[in-house]
Amino acid sequence: MNVRKILPIVLLAACLIVTACGGGNQPSSGGGGGGSDSNGPSTQSTESGGGSSSGAGKKIVLGFSQVGAESGWRTANTESIKEAAAAAGIELKFSDAQQKQENQIKAIRSFIQQKVDVIAFSPVVESGWETVLREAKEAGIPVILTDRAIDSDDESLYVTFIGSDFVEEGRRAGRWLLEQFKDATEPVNIVELQGTTGSAPAIDRKAGFEEVIRENPNLRIIASQTGDFTRAKGKEVMQSFLQAHKDIDVLYAHNDDMGLGAIQAIEAAGLVPGKDIIIITVDAIRDGMQAAAEGKINFIVECNPLLGPQLMEAVIAVVEGREVPKRIVTEEGAFTSEEAKAALPYRKY
Amino acid sequence: MPFRWRNSHLFWPLAALGGLLLINLLLKPEFFAIRYQNGHLYGSLIDILNFGSPLAIVAVGMTLVIATRGIDLSVGSLVAISGAMACLTISRGADQQSLHLVLGAVLLALAVSVALGLWNGLLVAGAGIQPIIATLILMVAGRGIAQLITSGQIITVTSKPYHFIGAGWLFTLPFSVYLAALVFLFAAWMTRRTSLGMFIEAIGCNPAASRLAGIRSRSILLAVYMFCALCAGIAGLITSSNVSSADGNNAGLWIELDAILAVVIGGTSLAGGRFSLAGTLVGALLIQTLTTTIYMLGVPPEITLVVKAFVVLAVCLIQSPSFRRAIAARGVPRKPVASRQEVSRHG
């Protein structure tokens, strides 16, 4: 009986202590991180042993809120940012939002409370950021967007946006398809596996692709559905597509993982991926490149996750008060099956 | 008095499922096409059974927990942990095709699941914490554990024996269907052929009275939470082996809510007491059929959730006796019976 009475009180007390530490932890922004370890439960602080690179001998503190770890791409992205921060001597407060906007808003608020020097984050969705970013602006903390953009009229809410041009990725996928089917006289049936509904890559990769293939009226998208960027959903949705449409010629998946799931569905249907159905994906993660090298994916548009160094450069520039361009595009390429086979041994992720 | 088939608790869930199938029959007749291919059956209905089996298994476990007036929110995280555990073990093994390795990995994953179920049970039955809070702890922490196991990566395995669990075929049907049937029959046998079912209902109806009547409610609660976790563990194996990879972040995401929905659609009351395993099975099939229907009909992803919500609302309303009476009377709805019960319970 005693346990029953005491436990809720203990839990409540624990909650209060955690909250109090989060709030009362204000003056520790550049103080070597001594007291900054008692921040929110999901935030971890990595510190490098390297010297500081900013002027006053004070270590720059960067608060970074990651989307989650939904794919191999994201993991490579996280690794790149952690490594680059360590190399540049920047103290990184890393927070994983587990694909929830509310978690990201919480993380950003906690960064504001801790008075970090710069906040960077990859928005889970495009909209709904005005309030929290205005709070950051009022606190005088510059915000850098990485990898995904936000949908806001107020461009003063962030300093710069570093990341891939998703529309261009969609266009690239479309251009290759246009080239492959330029002599087509019959309709080419395309099915599309979209990313998470409402996310920037899903919207832009769809838009860029549609913009290009419009040139050839024979290319038409007969079905388009979200696969949430995951293998399991990609497989489930593709399986339904295969049931609903008997004559699919091309699959366009917004990321490799959905494509890999779809390949399993295509094989289960007794078809040969890459031959019976032409497959185009975006990202070029290791498993995807492997499938491309095996000829199961015909064309992969690269979406480079290794933007850590570019991010750290921008962070240092912002802290030192230098001007940074509003848009920084990461460098990336594209691979056919043969090129993937050649490039595979040299891939970092 | 003649048998009133409309009074059966299975009538309305089955009617809703039938309605959904009818919509498919009218709009997409190929929904029902089943052909024989590579030695097994192939078609949308088979896909529904295959992709619906993890949900059905989780929902069966959830039914028993809900029958004891509890709830288990941690099943989604357990799905992720179990899949991650199995894939990690297999990926570390010397020979991924070895049956021994896969069996070991499967047993390890299930053992971890049951142990975590024991943890849930101890918090609920031992420490007396409200089930929704007790299992919320593992729901949140479990995702983290799954990500720790996979170190944030998606673990891909090439093991053929493991792939069989979620994507293999046995006697022309997906293997996962047999697993779901096995879990269902086991639960049905345990609760309807032994006195366990009555004990569970007694605990759900009135914990104090059942304790005074000499039922060892603690042991039964422990067993129920462990069984629910075992179900989640099996579902996790199916989910991860279906795509031959473990995704700590997304595997089983929100499956707890779908499972609770399946239980409720099946006619089990969230207030505990009476439960229906067959109803839950129909509920799980209904949810998966709805998902597949949405894909087949090409509903734009932007409004998918609205369509789902609308169907669920309709199914829940049609199951409410007072709503049906109000529709039948076409007059002012009378004060619903359910709300009066609610008041007396608080009093």
Side-chain angles (χ1 to χ4, degrees):
Chain A
M1 271 317 237
N2 267 339
V3 182
R4 214 175 279 192
K5 277 181 186 167
I6 291 169
L7 206 79
I9 301 171
V10 173
L11 282 177
L12 191 67
C15 289
L16 286 176
I17 291 166
V18 170
T19 329
C21 286
N25 186 27
Q26 283 164 359
S28 68
S29 67
S36 60
D37 285 326
S38 53
N39 43 22
S42 68
T43 315
Q44 65 178 90
S45 181
T46 40
E47 289 172 52
S48 60
S52 73
S53 46
S54 74
K58 223 174 73 173
K59 211 166 182 183
I60 300 175
V61 182
L62 168 68
F64 186 81
S65 168
Q66 181 61 285
V67 174
E70 81 275 17
S71 59
W73 190 96
R74 188 65 57 191
T75 314
N77 179 246
T78 302
E79 287 306 313
S80 165
I81 288 166
K82 283 183 176 168
E83 277 171 23
I90 291 174
E91 184 189 334
L92 178 68
K93 289 183 185 299
F94 185 85
S95 165
D96 187 326
Q98 304 192 336
Q99 272 106 325
K100 289 198 205 88
Q101 184 177 29
E102 65 205 71
N103 287 352
Q104 264 191 323
I105 291 178
K106 258 184 248 163
I108 294 170
R109 291 224 164 100
S110 129
F111 291 147
I112 296 173
Q113 275 179 348
Q114 296 167 44
K115 298 213 162 143
V116 298
D117 296 312
V118 181
I119 293 173
F121 75 111
S122 302
V124 175
V125 292
E126 280 194 330
S127 50
W129 298 103
E130 274 89 352
T131 317
V132 68
L133 291 189
R134 208 155 283 144
E135 284 167 31
K137 195 180 169 189
E138 276 160 18
I141 302 174
V143 173
I144 298 177
L145 304 178
T146 63
D147 156 46
R148 297 182 181 181
I150 59 166
D151 182 18
S152 169
D153 297 331
D154 189 357
E155 284 211 336
S156 72
L157 291 177
Y158 59 92
V159 189
T160 177
F161 166 42
I162 304 175
S164 316
D165 187 344
F166 298 133
V167 181
E168 182 57 31
E169 286 168 3
R171 283 196 204 111
R172 254 183 219 168
R175 261 182 237 126
W176 182 81
L177 191 66
L178 210 57
E179 178 65 26
Q180 294 297 306
F181 286 96
K182 60 173 185 249
D183 305 323
T185 48
E186 288 173 6
V188 176
N189 294 327
I190 305 166
V191 293
E192 184 182 31
L193 285 172
Q194 301 180 28
T196 309
T197 308
S199 68
I203 294 169
D204 291 351
R205 283 173 191 168
K206 184 174 165 61
F209 186 73
E210 281 174 357
E211 177 194 317
V212 172
I213 63 163
R214 209 171 291 142
E215 283 175 32
N216 185 344
N218 279 328
L219 299 177
R220 41 177 210 165
I221 298 174
I222 54 170
S224 181
Q225 187 57 252
T226 177
D228 280 338
F229 283 132
T230 65
R231 283 183 207 185
K233 274 282 167 203
K235 180 171 181 180
E236 193 178 335
V237 175
M238 189 65 199
Q239 207 129 322
S240 298
F241 281 168
L242 288 164
Q243 307 289 1
H245 309 280
K246 296 289 166 239
D247 43 2
I248 299 171
D249 301 308
V250 177
L251 163 70
Y252 169 49
H254 287 185
N255 81 343
D256 288 345
D257 283 309
M258 290 192 293
L260 291 168
I263 286 173
Q264 295 189 13
I266 293 168
E267 284 171 342
L271 300 171
V272 183
K275 292 207 172 60
D276 295 329
I277 295 179
I278 303 287
I279 300 174
I280 307 169
T281 65
V282 185
D283 268 4
I285 58 163
R286 178 162 289 280
D287 285 348
M289 290 294 277
Q290 186 72 45
E294 287 165 14
K296 290 178 178 173
I297 296 178
N298 304 70
F299 191 66
I300 296 193
V301 179
E302 186 187 36
C303 179
N304 190 354
L306 308 177
L307 50 76
Q310 276 174 305
L311 171 63
M312 297 312 148
E313 247 171 62
V315 167
I316 291 167
V318 167
V319 170
E320 287 174 354
R322 276 185 278 134
E323 194 70 25
V324 282
K326 201 80 192 166
R327 181 79 175 86
I328 303 172
V329 179
T330 44
E331 288 175 15
E332 41 205 31
F335 304 90
T336 59
S337 287
E338 295 76 42
E339 286 162 358
K341 204 180 276 178
L344 192 59
Y346 309 105
R347 298 289 285 178
K348 272 177 91 176
Y349 57 95
Chain B
M1 205 170 119
F3 177 64
R4 298 281 299 272
W5 54 276
R6 273 183 55 180
N7 281 0
S8 159
H9 63 267
L10 276 180
F11 174 71
W12 290 108
L14 278 174
L17 185 59
L20 208 53
L21 292 176
L22 191 67
I23 291 174
N24 274 305
L25 186 63
L26 295 176
L27 297 177
K28 269 264 183 246
E30 54 266 55
F31 186 86
F32 294 93
I34 290 181
R35 60 198 157 90
Y36 193 74
Q37 176 190 299
N38 297 345
H40 57 74
L41 295 174
Y42 182 81
S44 280
L45 294 175
I46 308 294
D47 284 351
I48 289 175
L49 291 179
N50 192 359
F51 288 118
S53 55
L55 176 61
I57 293 173
V58 170
V60 163
M62 187 70 83
T63 309
L64 298 188
V65 170
I66 286 178
T68 66
R69 211 186 266 191
I71 203 153
D72 190 345
L73 295 181
S74 69
V75 286
S77 298
L78 287 173
V79 164
I81 291 176
S82 150
M85 207 62 220
C87 284
L88 183 77
T89 316
I90 292 172
S91 68
R92 290 268 171 86
D95 175 21
Q96 291 208 5
Q97 309 306 330
S98 138
L99 199 59
H100 280 105
L101 176 70
V102 172
L103 273 179
V106 165
L107 287 178
L108 179 68
L110 294 181
V112 168
S113 307
V114 172
L116 290 170
L118 179 66
W119 160 262
N120 277 337
L122 285 175
L123 286 183
V124 173
I129 302 177
Q130 290 269 343
I132 196 167
I133 299 299
T135 55
L136 185 72
I137 296 171
L138 195 56
M139 174 191 175
V140 177
R143 285 266 154 225
I145 296 173
Q147 280 168 31
L148 274 181
I149 296 173
T150 60
S151 20
Q153 304 268 2
I154 293 177
I155 302 179
T156 309
V157 294
T158 53
S159 170
K160 288 242 158 53
Y162 187 64
H163 192 58
F164 183 81
I165 300 173
W169 302 84
L170 191 68
F171 306 123
T172 74
L173 282 177
F175 181 65
S176 56
V177 174
Y178 294 96
L179 283 177
L182 205 67
V183 169
F184 172 76
L185 289 176
F186 175 75
W189 182 79
M190 283 300 281
T191 53
R192 296 302 180 217
R193 287 283 172 266
T194 73
S195 48
L196 187 67
M198 202 176 65
F199 290 168
I200 288 174
E201 289 189 350
I203 293 171
C205 285
N206 193 333
S210 65
R211 188 168 47 83
L212 293 174
I215 295 175
R216 297 173 59 187
S217 59
R218 265 187 201 190
S219 332
I220 289 177
L221 277 178
L222 279 184
V224 164
Y225 278 92
M226 280 160 75
F227 178 70
C228 185
L230 177 68
C231 288
I234 296 173
L237 292 177
I238 296 175
T239 310
S240 83
S241 95
N242 188 268
V243 287
S244 284
S245 61
D247 182 345
N249 229 341
N250 289 304
L253 200 62
W254 310 131
I255 199 173
E256 58 274 357
L257 300 185
D258 275 349
I260 294 168
L261 185 63
V263 173
V264 173
I265 288 176
T268 300
S269 159
L270 281 178
R274 287 179 56 192
F275 65 95
S276 163
L277 287 169
T280 297
L281 210 55
V282 176
L285 282 178
L286 180 72
I287 292 171
Q288 190 60 40
T289 308
L290 178 58
T291 309
T292 307
T293 303
I294 283 171
Y295 295 150
M296 292 282 285
L297 296 183
V299 176
E302 292 80 10
I303 60 164
T304 300
L305 293 175
V306 179
V307 173
K308 271 190 171 175
F310 189 76
V311 173
V312 168
L313 178 70
V315 171
C316 290
L317 279 181
I318 207 171
Q319 288 199 65
S320 148
S322 41
F323 177 79
R324 287 204 305 270
R325 227 178 294 128
I327 291 291
R330 286 195 196 185
V332 188
R334 274 172 291 172
K335 198 174 174 72
V337 186
S339 69
R340 234 181 291 147
Q341 283 175 347
E342 194 75 7
V343 170
S344 69
R345 199 170 300 117
H346 285 297

